[in-house]
Amino acid sequence: MGDSGEFPLGDGPSSGISVTLTAGTLQAIRERVGKRGVSAYLEKAAQRQIERDNLDELISGFEEAHGPADPEAVASKRARLTGEASGAGVAA
């Protein structure tokens, strides 16, 4: 990576920028992490958003190639992963 200036997500030197947030959002962040934890909190939040965006792109590509996922198959797999009975928690 050296001189290219390209780094994987969450890696590389820190760089300062100016960010504008609503007062309520900033207050909520500071209540959670204090004044000195805001930058680290925003770094982690940005990383999670990028990961979600990447996942959305993967899902879109899959759906373009194979069509949308079958809701019943998704529910069945979710039940297996969570240990719930298939269809549990679904309103009748």
Side-chain angles (χ1 to χ4, degrees):
M1 299 202 188
D3 297 315
S4 70
E6 293 184 24
F7 302 96
L9 184 62
D11 197 15
S14 295
S15 179
I17 61 167
S18 175
V19 177
T20 302
L21 303 171
T22 62
T25 299
L26 183 55
Q27 178 181 341
I29 293 169
R30 284 182 173 157
E31 287 173 358
R32 287 186 175 274
V33 299
K35 286 183 179 182
R36 300 186 60 81
V38 173
S39 291
Y41 187 89
L42 293 176
E43 169 73 19
K44 291 292 185 185
Q47 288 178 17
R48 282 191 305 274
Q49 185 61 48
I50 291 167
E51 290 166 351
R52 288 178 179 164
D53 292 346
N54 290 342
L55 182 56
D56 286 344
E57 291 170 6
L58 284 171
I59 291 169
S60 291
F62 179 88
E63 288 181 342
E64 284 179 24
H66 304 286
D70 174 22
E72 289 181 15
V74 171
S76 174
K77 286 174 177 51
R78 179 176 287 124
R80 287 178 55 200
L81 288 170
T82 62
E84 297 176 5
S86 185
V90 176

